[in-house]
Amino acid sequence: MELKGKVHYVGVNDRTKALFENLWPLPYGVSYNSYLIADEEKVALVDTVDVAFFEVYLKKIKNIIGDRKIDYLIINHMEPDHSGSISLIKQYYPDVVLVGNKKTFDMVDGYYGVEGERLVVAEGDSLKLGHHSLRFYLVPMVHWPETMVTFDETEGVLFSGDAFGCFGALNGGCVDKNINTDIYWDEMRRYYSNIVGKFGNPVQKALQKCGGLDIRMICPTHGPVWEEKIQEVVSLYDRWSRYEGEEGVVVAYGTMYGNTEEMAEVIAEELSLQGIKNVVMYNVSHTPHSYILSDIFRYKGLIVGCTTYNMHLYPEMEALLNKVAAREMKNRMIGYFGSFTWASAAVKKLGEFTEKLKFEVVGSPVEMKQSMKADNETQARELARAMAARLKENN
Ligand code: FEO
């Protein structure tokens, strides 16, 4: 599939894997994007694909360049979903020169131990292929320390690595203007929040670095190639990396027999009565945390509640909060509630977690013993009203 100039798409689709990184569900699959620049003088491959797909990958490459050799393999990112085929590419194209930065080659050695010629590039270095002229920019921690992006100055194509990528395999076409992109927007937020979410500052730095480039096409390593919707995609990454939230509340609860859930329902109802339209409820034992995280990235408000379990937090709630804490999110408001049967613990532990999260605590925590009574319901509604008022104020 020809994209621009001599740039071809040679990525593959994975509709078999259940969990990306063995953690994150893939209801629409995922693509591993690789690009082949079949220039008149030199041929360059930009990133590779998961090694399980090597046979179909090689076929795609050969369909474009036949028996020509590949001169350069540009390694923007070393995570094995993209670097997995380096050893096999080297076997089929023994003269290929690996192109990466200093940190790339530490990982090439550690993962694959491949020998041969290397071109170590630094910030701003360039490489001429003929028609296309490439320039390299280091963008550490988007999403690993070695990550860099490659900019084709001739055609304005940014090979962006994981940045601007999303879950979801490609169905037929790969450029946004030729496909229905509806499924990809939520999948992009889920991808961002799950995979890149911790690295807001590095993403901001990368956006600033690339801000001055005349980008006419973005070729990420996952999901569609962006040509028509470049501005939307860049603006989403900008908002998410600044942890900017929309007006709305995620109510996430852990319940065993429905009592804590009853309180969650009251809170959600009161939020709605107070005019909050975006209220999303999640049972933390039922919904994969991938989706809950995605909505916590979307909305400013979070109310969490759970039952006490063996004098500790309900385990699935603790697991969710650990994932939230690991992303070091900012600009969020939190309220919390909990329950116990014989020894109170959940509310205290949730309080400890909110300190760790550094979210703004809204309202008073609500605690109930065994089941919800009238005074608990009143307190729960007060908590919801406090959150609604704070959100309106914040707008
Ligand atoms: Fe798609 Fe960080 O690898």
Side-chain angles (χ1 to χ4, degrees):
M1 220 175 280
E2 199 166 287
L3 298 177
K4 235 182 204 317
K6 314 280 182 191
V7 180
H8 299 256
Y9 178 84
V10 287
V12 297
N13 289 303
D14 186 343
R15 299 187 185 87
T16 308
K17 186 176 279 183
L19 297 173
F20 190 77
E21 294 181 343
N22 245 345
L23 286 168
W24 318 109
L26 293 170
Y28 303 106
V30 67
S31 69
Y32 311 115
N33 299 345
S34 169
Y35 303 92
L36 185 70
I37 311 174
D39 215 324
E40 291 119 15
E41 289 171 30
K42 302 284 183 188
V43 174
L45 189 59
V46 185
D47 292 312
T48 71
V49 300
D50 187 306
V51 68
F53 294 84
F54 186 76
E55 203 172 343
V56 62
Y57 179 50
L58 185 66
K59 209 182 270 182
K60 285 185 172 200
I61 292 171
K62 286 198 174 292
N63 278 344
I64 295 163
I65 57 169
D67 291 332
R68 277 186 82 184
K69 61 175 190 163
I70 297 175
D71 298 280
Y72 300 107
L73 168 55
I74 295 162
I75 306 167
N76 281 329
H77 183 25
M78 274 299 295
E79 193 162 5
D81 50 337
H82 311 296
S83 69
S85 294
I86 288 178
S87 297
L88 286 172
I89 284 290
K90 193 76 189 165
Q91 278 181 39
Y92 280 83
Y93 298 95
D95 297 330
V96 68
V97 177
L98 303 188
V99 182
N101 59 74
K102 200 166 161 287
K103 287 186 177 157
T104 314
F105 289 111
D106 286 346
M107 297 183 188
V108 169
D109 292 337
Y111 272 114
Y112 307 110
V114 292
E115 304 286 324
E117 199 180 336
R118 295 170 173 192
L119 176 62
V120 182
V121 296
E123 175 75 12
D125 283 356
S126 66
L127 179 65
K128 198 132 181 59
L129 304 176
H131 172 71
H132 294 267
S133 181
L134 308 178
R135 197 169 293 279
F136 305 100
Y137 297 96
L138 306 187
V139 290
M141 303 318 297
V142 186
H143 120 251
W144 278 12
E146 87 302 355
T147 43
M148 61 182 202
V149 296
T150 300
F151 185 57
D152 168 14
E153 294 182 324
T154 317
E155 296 287 348
V157 180
L158 180 71
F159 300 98
S160 63
D162 280 346
F164 311 116
C166 65
F167 293 136
L170 297 169
N171 304 308
C174 65
V175 184
D176 60 358
K177 66 182 181 190
N178 301 326
I179 60 177
N180 183 333
T181 54
D182 289 356
I183 63 156
Y184 296 108
W185 303 107
D186 280 350
E187 286 297 85
M188 180 179 276
R189 192 181 63 251
R190 196 163 66 84
Y191 176 83
Y192 181 87
S193 59
N194 292 186
I195 310 296
V196 196
K198 180 182 167 64
F199 306 112
N201 284 337
V203 170
Q204 276 292 310
K205 281 186 193 149
L207 288 172
Q208 279 156 22
K209 192 175 274 193
C210 298
L213 306 176
D214 175 24
I215 300 171
R216 280 163 272 155
M217 179 176 269
I218 296 179
C219 292
T221 44
H222 300 288
V225 168
W226 303 104
E227 186 174 18
E228 236 175 35
K229 299 182 171 78
I230 291 176
Q231 276 193 341
E232 287 99 312
V233 168
V234 171
S235 130
L236 285 173
Y237 258 66
D238 181 40
R239 271 176 34 203
W240 295 331
S241 57
R242 284 188 284 112
Y243 301 98
E244 202 177 88
E246 298 171 33
E247 185 182 286
V249 184
V250 174
V251 180
Y253 61 91
T255 193
M256 286 194 286
Y257 300 104
N259 292 295
T260 312
E261 184 175 46
E262 206 179 330
M263 188 173 275
E265 293 280 10
V266 164
I267 289 169
E269 182 187 273
E270 189 61 38
L271 285 166
S272 177
L273 289 171
Q274 296 304 313
I276 303 297
K277 286 189 180 165
N278 297 313
V279 178
V280 195
M281 297 187 70
Y282 285 115
N283 176 336
V284 294
S285 306
H286 181 76
T287 304
H289 294 178
S290 169
Y291 295 90
I292 310 179
L293 276 177
S294 180
D295 271 334
I296 295 174
F297 256 77
R298 180 169 190 177
Y299 296 118
K300 277 185 203 153
L302 172 64
I303 298 184
V304 291
C306 70
T307 180
T308 299
Y309 192 86
N310 290 344
M311 286 169 283
H312 223 281
L313 275 180
Y314 186 61
E316 288 298 318
M317 177 56 76
E318 185 166 18
L320 173 69
L321 291 175
N322 276 324
K323 292 184 185 95
V324 176
R327 278 151 186 79
E328 298 171 15
M329 296 177 66
K330 297 163 187 74
N331 309 326
R332 291 294 180 278
M333 300 162 192
I334 191 166
Y336 57 99
F337 63 99
S339 64
F340 67 96
T341 298
W342 74 92
S344 156
V347 165
K348 181 168 169 275
K349 299 272 179 198
L350 286 171
E352 288 167 9
F353 239 113
T354 59
E355 280 173 32
K356 192 154 58 163
L357 292 173
K358 300 198 182 94
F359 289 3
E360 176 190 334
V361 178
V362 173
S364 303
V366 185
E367 184 171 51
M368 70 177 176
K369 184 176 179 181
Q370 292 152 1
S371 67
M372 192 166 65
K373 320 290 186 310
D375 61 332
N376 303 133
E377 180 170 342
T378 304
Q379 292 161 352
R381 290 190 186 277
E382 277 166 11
L383 173 61
R385 281 198 289 272
M387 177 61 84
R390 189 68 191 91
L391 283 172
K392 301 260 175 225
E393 213 175 87
N394 194 263
N395 260 357

